[in-house]
Amino acid sequence: MTTQPSRALETFPNPAPERDYTIHFSIPEFTCLCPKTGQPDFATLEIDYVPEAHCVELKSLKLYIWSFRDQGAFHEAVTHHILGDLVAATAPRFMRVRGVFNVRGGIYTTVVAEHRAPGWEPPVPVTLP
Amino acid sequence: MTTQPSRALETFPNPAPERDYTIHFSIPEFTCLCPKTGQPDFATLEIDYVPEAHCVELKSLKLYIWSFRDQGAFHEAVTHHILGDLVAATAPRFMRVRGVFNVRGGIYTTVVAEHRAPGWEPPVPVTLP
Amino acid sequence: MTTQPSRALETFPNPAPERDYTIHFSIPEFTCLCPKTGQPDFATLEIDYVPEAHCVELKSLKLYIWSFRDQGAFHEAVTHHILGDLVAATAPRFMRVRGVFNVRGGIYTTVVAEHRAPGWEPPVPVTLP
Amino acid sequence: MTTQPSRALETFPNPAPERDYTIHFSIPEFTCLCPKTGQPDFATLEIDYVPEAHCVELKSLKLYIWSFRDQGAFHEAVTHHILGDLVAATAPRFMRVRGVFNVRGGIYTTVVAEHRAPGWEPPVPVTLP
Amino acid sequence: MTTQPSRALETFPNPAPERDYTIHFSIPEFTCLCPKTGQPDFATLEIDYVPEAHCVELKSLKLYIWSFRDQGAFHEAVTHHILGDLVAATAPRFMRVRGVFNVRGGIYTTVVAEHRAPGWEPPVPVTLP
Amino acid sequence: MTTQPSRALETFPNPAPERDYTIHFSIPEFTCLCPKTGQPDFATLEIDYVPEAHCVELKSLKLYIWSFRDQGAFHEAVTHHILGDLVAATAPRFMRVRGVFNVRGGIYTTVVAEHRAPGWEPPVPVTLP
Amino acid sequence: MTTQPSRALETFPNPAPERDYTIHFSIPEFTCLCPKTGQPDFATLEIDYVPEAHCVELKSLKLYIWSFRDQGAFHEAVTHHILGDLVAATAPRFMRVRGVFNVRGGIYTTVVAEHRAPGWEPPVPVTLP
Amino acid sequence: MTTQPSRALETFPNPAPERDYTIHFSIPEFTCLCPKTGQPDFATLEIDYVPEAHCVELKSLKLYIWSFRDQGAFHEAVTHHILGDLVAATAPRFMRVRGVFNVRGGIYTTVVAEHRAPGWEPPVPVTLP
Amino acid sequence: MTTQPSRALETFPNPAPERDYTIHFSIPEFTCLCPKTGQPDFATLEIDYVPEAHCVELKSLKLYIWSFRDQGAFHEAVTHHILGDLVAATAPRFMRVRGVFNVRGGIYTTVVAEHRAPGWEPPVPVTLP
Amino acid sequence: MTTQPSRALETFPNPAPERDYTIHFSIPEFTCLCPKTGQPDFATLEIDYVPEAHCVELKSLKLYIWSFRDQGAFHEAVTHHILGDLVAATAPRFMRVRGVFNVRGGIYTTVVAEHRAPGWEPPVPVTLP
Ligand SMILES: [Ca+2]
Ligand SMILES: [Ca+2]
Ligand SMILES: [Ca+2]
Ligand SMILES: [Ca+2]
Ligand SMILES: [Ca+2]
Ligand SMILES: [Ca+2]
Ligand SMILES: [Ca+2]
Ligand SMILES: [Ca+2]
Ligand SMILES: [Ca+2]
Ligand SMILES: [Ca+2]
Ligand SMILES: [Ca+2]
Ligand SMILES: [Ca+2]
Ligand SMILES: [Ca+2]
Ligand SMILES: [Ca+2]
Ligand SMILES: [Ca+2]
Ligand SMILES: [Ca+2]
C-alpha cells in the first residue's frame, strides 16, 4: 500500500509553461516534534509558487507533509528545509514557504522564506482598482 | 429551451471603451469532476478583466460555468482553460482568473492565471490615503 | 416639498483646495431596474474623490441616488453614468465609482471606473509601517 | 472501481449504544438540479443525529451526497428525501437535516426537518454557565 | 410578460404535511417608501414558518416583495401587513416575520411579529449538546 | 425650529395591539457626562419592547437620546432612568434597556434593566430547529 | 497617592434595589503569577451580577484586579477567590465570575463559578422573538 | 525526562467542592491516525466538566492528548475513549467531550458525548438578560 | 480642576528624533454638532504621524477631542481643522487625519487629509513577505 | 531555577544566512507600568526581523518580555527601548517593533519603529496575483 509518509515529492508537467502564474497551497495540518523537548509542534504552511517545467503533485505533497510527523525540527530550519525540498523537486521560477506556528510560551512565531530562480524577474503586478 | 449548459460565451459592446476600467465576477458555484477519481470537485472562481471592445454577457457566463459540471478537469489546467475561453470570446485588454478549490486531502489549492493583450500597459494605480 | 428624487447634484466650495485629499462615500441603498427583465437590481456604491473647487453636497447626493429607483440600467453602463454625472457636477481632480451589485444567477458582479483630470498627477502615497 | 455515486448508505455498529450522544456532519458540497429549469442548485447540508444501533459510514455518505448531482429536486422535498433515506439506513433515535440553499432571485432558503424514533425522549440538556 | 410586481402569492402543496418542519427565507432586498417623507426605506426580511397544507412559491414571493417598492409603509405596520398576507395565502401552523430596517437618524429598528394557528402547539425543541 | 434635544417622548398608536410582538432599537450614538469627572461617556443602547397601546415615535426618540448630551449620569442610574422614561411614555407590556458603555480604566461595563407590566405573561417562545 | 493596588473593594448604594437587573464587567487586563513556575499568567475576567443593596465601585474594582499582579494563583482557585471577595464586598443576589485564561501548553482553560444568595430565585427570563 | 506521551492522567484536589462550577478546556492540537488508511487525522477537542473531588492536572492532560499521536482511532470511538479515561481519572459530577474533526472527503464531522454521575442533577441555569 | 475641554494641545520631546517612526491614535469617541441642523454628529478619528521634535501628549489630546463636543463642524472642514491644530502644535514630519463619520441619510462619509513637512521625504517602505 | 525575568537575550546561529527571510513574533502578553500613575499598561508586541548571523532564542525572548512587568515605561520610549535591545543582541539586517497598546482615556495608541543595518537593501518584494 502506498499511503506511507514519504519524502519523495512527485511532479507533473506544467500545463501552461508559457505563462508566469501562481499556485497556492494552504496546509493547516503540519506537525513535527520540538528538538529540545520532543513534544509535538503544530503549524499551518502557506506555499506559493510560479512553476517552470514541473508542478507539485497534490497527493505526494500530502505524504511529504506527513513525513515530518516524527521528526524533530526547529521553526526556522524546517521552513528552509521544506522550501529546499520543494525547490529541488520542481525547480520553480519562484517559491515562498510560510510556516505559521502555534503559540508556545505566549509567543506566536511565523517564518517566511523564498527562492527565486537565477535570472527570473517577477512580472510587474497588474493592480486593478 | 435555451437554458442548457453551453460553451458559447456571448458578449455585448463595451459601453465605455475609451476607459480602462474593471469588471469583477465572483462565482461560488463552480463544479467539475476530478480526472483521476471521477469524483466532484468544487471551487469559487474570481474573474477580473479590463474590457476592450466586448463585455461578457452574464447569462451566457452562467451557462458556460455550468458546462464544466460533467467534465474532468485538473485544478491547474481548468483555470488556464477558462482564461483561454474568456480571452477568445472577449479579447480583453487584461484578464485574471483565480480558482479557489475546496480542500482535498487536507490541502487547499488556489490557481491564478492572467492574460495581457500585447502592447497594453496597465494604468499606474491611483492610491488614495 | 423638496425631498423628491433629483438628478441635480449640488456642490459647496472645497474648504481646502490647496491640498489633495480624499472624500469617500459608501452608499449601501442603491437600487435600479434591470433593463432586460424590469425587475429591481441592488448595489452598494463606493465613491472616492479628490475635490478641485467643488465638493458634493450630501443631501443632493442622496436625492441623486434615489433618482435611479425607476430607471432601467445595466451594471456596467450605470457605473459609468454615475461617474459621468458626478464628474460633470464637481470637476474633481480624481474620482472612482465602484458598483458592487447583488448576486444574480449565482454570480456577483462589481464594476469600477475612474476619472482623472487632465494634467493631475496623483501624489506619491506615504506608506507608514 | 467503487467510487461511483450511490444511494446505498453503509453503516457500522454504534460504538457506544448505551449513551445518547450527537454526531454532526457539515457538508458544503451538495448540488442537484432545479426541477423547473434544469439548472444546478447548491446547498450546504447540516446533519445531526443520535445513533441507535448503526452509525453512517463516512465514505458511503459522500457517495450518497454525490448521487443527487444529476437529479431534479425541490428544496423542501429533497430535504425530506435525504432525511428519509438516512433514517431508513440507520434507524436513529433522532435525526435532523438542514438544507441551506444558495440564493436564488434574491432570496436565501433554508429547510429543516427532523425525525424522532417513537418512544425516544431527548435527554434534558445540561446547560453549564 | 408575467414578471410584474404582484400581491398574488402562489403556493404549492406541502410535500411533508405529516411533519412540523421549518422553512426559512432571508430576503435582503426589501424596499418601500417612508410615508412621512416619501423617501425610500430599506430592510432585510427574515421569514420562518411551519407549513400546514401549502408552501409559499419562491418566484411569487419575489414578485410580492417587489410590490412594496412604490408603497408608503411604516416599519411596524408593514411587518404586520406582510405577516398577514403570507398567513392568508398559506394558513401555516406558525409564521414569524422579522423586518430589520436600515439605520435612520442614528437608530436601527427591527420589528418581529408572529402568527400561530389556533390549537397548534410548537414541538418541544430537541437540544443536542 | 423643532430639532432641539427634548425629553418629550412622542408616541403613535400601536398598529397591532391584538398581538404580543417585538420592537428593537439599536442606538450606537448615546453620550452623556461622567458625574465624577465631568468628562464625556459613550454607550450603545439596545432597547427591546412589546407595545401595549402606544409605540415610541422614532424622531422623538432621537431627540430624547440627544437630551443626555450635557447631563451627568452614572452607568447604572442612567440605564434605569431611560427605562423609566420610556415606560412612562408608552406603558408597554414589556421593555428592556441595555446600556453597553465604552471601556474606562480597562473595564467594559454593561447594565441591563427590564420592566414588565403587572399581570403580563411573556408568550412561551416558539423555538424552531 | 491612592492609586495603589488594593484588595479593598468599595461599593455604592444600588440605585434600583426594587428590581432584579444585571451589571456586567469585561476585564481583559487580569494578570497574576503561576504558582508552579512563578511566570506570569493572563486572563480576561467576565463578571455578571444582580446587586442587592450595594454595587461595586468601578475604580476600586480596577485596583482590586491590579492587586493580583504579584500573587501566585492557580486558575481554578483564583476564580473562586475573586468570586468570594466580590460576594463579601457586595452581598449580591447573584454573581458569576468567568476566568478565560490564555493558552498554556496548547490548552485554553476557562473556569466559571457562581454564587446565589440563599432564597433568591432567578426571574424567569423573558425571551422575545 | 518526564515529558513523554502518557495515558496517566494526574489530578489535584478540587479547591471548591462545595460548589457546582465549570472548567472548560479547548485543545486545538489533537492528532491521531485513521484506522483504515493509517493517515493522520486532526481535531479540536472541547472539554467541559463539573468536578467532584478531583480536577485534571493541565500538564498531564497535555501528555495524555499527545499519547494519541501514533494510535489508530475512529472519530466516534476516540471521543468516547477520551471521555471514558477522563471520567475514570476524575469521577466528575458531569463531563462533556466534543471532538471537532477536520474535513475529510468534503465532510466535516463533530462527535459529542457526555457523562453524568448517578444522582447528580444539573443546577437550573441562571439566565440573566 | 483641570479636566475641562481644551484646545491647548500639549507635547513632550520626541524620545527618538534620530528616526522616522510612526505613532497611531484611534479615537472612537469624537462628537461634534452638524452646522445645518444643530444635531450631534459622531466619528472615529484615525491619526498617524511621524514626529519631528515633539510628540502629542495623550491626556491633552483627549481634552482637545472633547473640545469639539459643542461646536458646529462640517465633515470635510473639521478634518482639516484638526489636522491644522495638530500640525501647529507638533510640527511633525508627516501627519494624516482620517475622519470616519457615522451614516447620515443612508450615506457613510470618510475624509482623509495629510500634511507633509517641506523637504521631508517618506522612507521607502520595507515590505517583508 | 532559571525561569526569572531577564534582560539577557540569547541567540542561536541563523540557519540560513545566505538568504534574506522573515521571522515574525506576535506577543499578546506584554505588560509594564505607566510612569505617571504607576498603574499597569498592556500591549501586544509585533516583531518582524531579517536575521544576519543570529536569531533570537524564543525562551529568552519570553523572559525578556517578562522583565518589563515592574518597569515604568512610556509607550513611545519603550517601543524604541525594545527595538534597541533586540538589535544589540542580534545585529539583524532589518527589524521592526510594533507596540499596540490598550485603550487609555478613549484613545488607542500604536507605536512602530524600525532598524535597518547600514548598507542593507530590502529585497524588491515579489507580488504574486
Ligand atoms: Ca489543527
Ligand atoms: Ca510551535
Ligand atoms: Ca458551494
Ligand atoms: Ca478540489
Ligand atoms: Ca439593502
Ligand atoms: Ca444585480
Ligand atoms: Ca437554490
Ligand atoms: Ca428605515
Ligand atoms: Ca463609560
Ligand atoms: Ca485598556
Ligand atoms: Ca494560563
Ligand atoms: Ca492577555
Ligand atoms: Ca478527520
Ligand atoms: Ca461611540
Ligand atoms: Ca455624521
Ligand atoms: Ca497603555
Side-chain angles (χ1 to χ4, degrees), chain I residues 15-80:
Chain I
E18 68 280 8
R19 267 193 193 122
D20 281 341
Y21 69 98
T22 308
I23 302 172
H24 176 77
F25 301 123
S26 179
I27 309 173
E29 296 184 348
F30 179 83
T31 181
C32 60
L33 302 176
C34 173
K36 285 191 178 167
T37 65
Q39 299 189 36
D41 268 340
F42 291 84
T44 293
L45 299 183
E46 305 281 349
I47 300 170
D48 287 290
Y49 75 108
V50 179
E52 172 60 52
H54 305 289
C55 293
V56 185
E57 197 274 330
L58 201 62
K59 186 175 176 188
S60 79
L61 179 59
K62 181 178 70 171
L63 303 181
Y64 173 80
I65 294 300
W66 181 8
S67 75
F68 286 88
R69 191 172 177 86
D70 294 323
Q71 173 174 327
F74 289 102
H75 292 4
E76 288 84 356
V78 75
T79 305
H80 293 292

Side-chain angles (χ1 to χ4, degrees), chain D residues 64-109:
Chain D
Y64 173 80
I65 294 300
W66 181 9
S67 74
F68 287 87
R69 191 172 177 88
D70 294 324
Q71 173 173 328
F74 289 102
H75 293 5
E76 287 84 356
V78 76
T79 305
H80 293 292
H81 184 150
I82 292 169
L83 177 59
D85 285 354
L86 285 164
V87 164
T90 63
R93 297 176 192 167
F94 175 79
M95 183 169 279
R96 179 187 296 137
V97 175
R98 182 187 310 265
V100 183
F101 291 88
N102 278 10
V103 61
R104 289 293 179 264
I107 301 180
Y108 299 76
T109 301

